[in-house]
Amino acid sequence: MTVTMRIKSFLLALSMLSSSLVFADSDNGFLRISLKKWPLSLKRLKAARISHNQYPSTENNIQAVIYLKNYLDIQYYAEIGIGSPPQPLTVVFDTGSSNLWVPSSRCIFSIACYLHSKFKARLSSTYTKIGIPCKIPYGSGSISGFFSQDNVKVGDVVVKDQEFVEITKEGLLALLGAKYDGVLGLGFQNIAVDQATPVWYNMVIQGHMVQKVFSFWINRDPMSKVGGEIVFGGIDWRRFTGEHTYFPITRKGYWQIEVGDVLVAGQSTGQCAAGCGAILDSGTAFLAGPTAIVAQINLAIGAEGIVSLECKNVVSNYGNFVWEYLVSGLRPELACVDIGLCPYNGSKYVRKNIETVLVHNGTRSGSVNETPLCTFCEMIVFWFQVQLKQQKAKDKVFKFANELCERLPNPLGKPFIDCDKIGVLPDVTFTIGNKTFSLSSEQYILRVEEGCSTFCISGFVSLDIPPPQGPLWVLGNLFLGAYHTVFDFGNSQIGFAKAV
């Protein structure tokens, strides 16, 4: 499984969501999509990424709007049409993948298919059979089907002869609770299954777009009927303040840029100070990143309910050795090897940080899942180093490490936060280039409604991707909600401006 599928499988398990759409006219070579909002609940949660003279404005084309629904305040989807006449199907607009897939009328053995609209090839006069089978793997299952070709309508734009996947088997339990039918990927072609040409590419190739850009504005105001907006071929100047700051794409496939240090209340978390990758992903709500940083954030914001006894046992049993090792000036990357918790290949040990893998004859000799004690040990070494740089006393360093252990995210659960304390929680700031992009507690916390009660959940979840692809952040809709984002396909860059 590629890193693309590993990331999407993890985040798909966290949030499988949905939406619907109303069409309006589109001209001037761009298409605007406005998003409507649905309330978030625990039940639904469980069911479940310029200057003014560069790009055309929507000010003279206010009627070019497609309305979508924001299901669960997490993912955003719209209705498109496939075939002639167009058959309506709802899809997530996902910058973290590149294929278009929808359920097929031939999907008869998967319960999820009976709960969603299905494409019926026999009803389309422009359908072309391809028939090549394919499978899209996810961590909690997979979807499989075959390639087909037909016209795809997105708003008033009709993309001719678009390749897409008709799904005949949906093996993901999460899809049972999803309101949407499929996914329309807005990533790059090189991560598409079987290198199928993405819809966005064909929108450009077939001359529908005046400018090779699309932009996202997401509105998280629970009182608003409009949940956000996607503009294909331009941007809406009403949706942000100031100017966009642009950063180059560092690895095509995902919309990936480089971020620097992550700060909590202005304090460094350390691990990404030398640089980490970051993917802008409209297919997930969460902010997923290295466990060592996420644990520090969840500690600072008081996220509770997740405890790792194994981690605390490593602190108890090996903390003194780690302390002495570090204060003696020995190489920190070898501490866990000398303790015996991490393997050594007998000739060369290579670790740049806690997520670096052991290299032996060009292959990885262990993984996070295979050596959990090694992972815990490496995180503790890292945390000790952060505290020693701040000249903290030994007892405070141990207390800090134990508290971080208690905040380690659990893939099967989510850390809860006292909703009454949201107003006093610290900002979390991402450093990108020489700029800082801060998220307030209102922006990084999800409010979950359950009956007459409201629960608050940290938007930070753990995702550990080893080099060379990692360490890596995935910045989902919680980030896009704070910053209007321009995906500049023509110039291979991404721009951010403060959303309004």
Side-chain angles (χ1 to χ4, degrees), residues 190-352:
N190 60 309
I191 65 169
V193 173
D194 283 3
Q195 296 291 293
T197 304
V199 173
W200 165 247
Y201 277 54
N202 279 329
M203 292 173 77
V204 172
I205 292 169
Q206 295 178 20
H208 298 295
M209 298 291 102
V210 174
Q211 298 291 335
K212 299 178 183 179
V213 301
F214 58 90
S215 56
F216 272 78
W217 171 73
I218 291 175
N219 182 12
R220 296 190 64 217
D221 179 1
M223 303 304 294
S224 175
K225 293 183 179 180
V226 177
E229 180 178 277
I230 307 172
V231 180
F232 289 101
I235 63 179
D236 189 338
W237 304 103
R238 301 170 302 165
R239 303 309 188 187
F240 61 91
T241 182
E243 295 289 332
H244 288 83
T245 302
Y246 286 85
F247 303 95
I249 296 171
T250 56
R251 178 177 295 175
K252 286 189 177 180
Y254 288 120
W255 289 91
Q256 181 172 332
I257 60 176
E258 182 169 312
V259 301
D261 204 359
V262 180
L263 311 176
V264 182
Q267 296 295 313
S268 170
T269 56
Q271 186 176 354
C272 287
C276 287
I279 293 167
L280 278 297
D281 185 0
S282 64
T284 183
F286 295 94
L287 302 159
T291 299
I293 297 178
V294 170
Q296 292 182 68
I297 294 172
N298 282 337
L299 170 64
I301 66 178
E304 297 178 349
I306 299 171
V307 179
S308 173
L309 293 178
E310 293 85 353
C311 179
K312 296 182 77 172
N313 284 336
V314 173
V315 175
S316 176
N317 295 330
Y318 304 101
N320 284 322
F321 181 90
V322 172
W323 173 267
E324 295 297 333
Y325 204 96
L326 295 178
V327 298
S328 297
L330 298 175
R331 294 172 60 190
E333 67 271 19
L334 295 178
C336 296
V337 174
D338 289 343
I339 291 173
L341 296 182
C342 290
Y344 182 67
N345 70 1
S347 60
K348 183 178 180 182
Y349 184 81
V350 181
R351 282 192 186 271
K352 294 182 180 179

Side-chain angles (χ1 to χ4, degrees), residues 106-107 109-110 113 142-145 166-172:
R106 293 170 59 179
C107 183
F109 295 111
S110 295
C113 285
S142 63
I143 56 175
S144 56
E166 288 191 60
I167 297 302
T168 56
K169 183 178 180 182
E170 295 186 351
L172 292 171

Side-chain angles (χ1 to χ4, degrees), residues 3 251 256 275-277 353 355-356 464-473:
V3 65
R251 178 177 295 175
Q256 181 172 332
C276 287
N353 55 50
E355 292 192 87
T356 308
D464 291 309
I465 301 296
Q469 292 90 350
L472 192 66
W473 279 92

Side-chain angles (χ1 to χ4, degrees), residues 67-219:
Y67 293 97
L68 301 89
K69 288 182 180 178
N70 165 6
Y71 180 58
L72 310 183
D73 201 22
I74 297 180
Q75 287 186 344
Y76 300 79
Y77 65 92
E79 184 179 279
I80 63 173
I82 301 180
S84 301
Q87 299 176 33
L89 295 148
T90 55
V91 296
V92 170
F93 286 81
D94 179 19
T95 59
S97 65
S98 299
N99 288 91
L100 168 61
W101 63 262
V102 295
S104 170
S105 61
R106 293 170 59 179
C107 183
I108 57 177
F109 295 111
S110 295
I111 296 175
C113 285
Y114 288 95
L115 303 178
H116 296 101
S117 298
K118 294 184 283 188
F119 174 72
K120 302 175 180 63
R122 67 182 183 279
L123 300 181
S124 174
S125 62
T126 50
Y127 172 79
T128 299
K129 179 180 179 181
I130 296 178
I132 299 173
C134 71
K135 185 174 184 178
I136 303 176
Y138 292 99
S140 55
S142 63
I143 56 175
S144 56
F146 57 92
F147 278 99
S148 294
Q149 180 177 291
D150 210 330
N151 296 344
V152 174
K153 185 177 182 181
V154 182
D156 238 17
V157 172
V158 177
V159 178
K160 302 288 187 180
D161 301 325
Q162 174 64 48
E163 288 180 280
F164 66 100
V165 178
E166 288 191 60
I167 297 302
T168 56
K169 183 178 180 182
E170 295 186 351
L172 292 171
L173 293 177
L175 288 174
L176 291 173
K179 296 292 183 181
Y180 60 84
D181 303 316
V183 170
L184 191 156
L186 293 172
F188 291 86
Q189 186 172 5
N190 60 309
I191 65 169
V193 173
D194 283 3
Q195 296 291 293
T197 304
V199 173
W200 165 247
Y201 277 54
N202 279 329
M203 292 173 77
V204 172
I205 292 169
Q206 295 178 20
H208 298 295
M209 298 291 102
V210 174
Q211 298 291 335
K212 299 178 183 179
V213 301
F214 58 90
S215 56
F216 272 78
W217 171 73
I218 291 175
N219 182 12

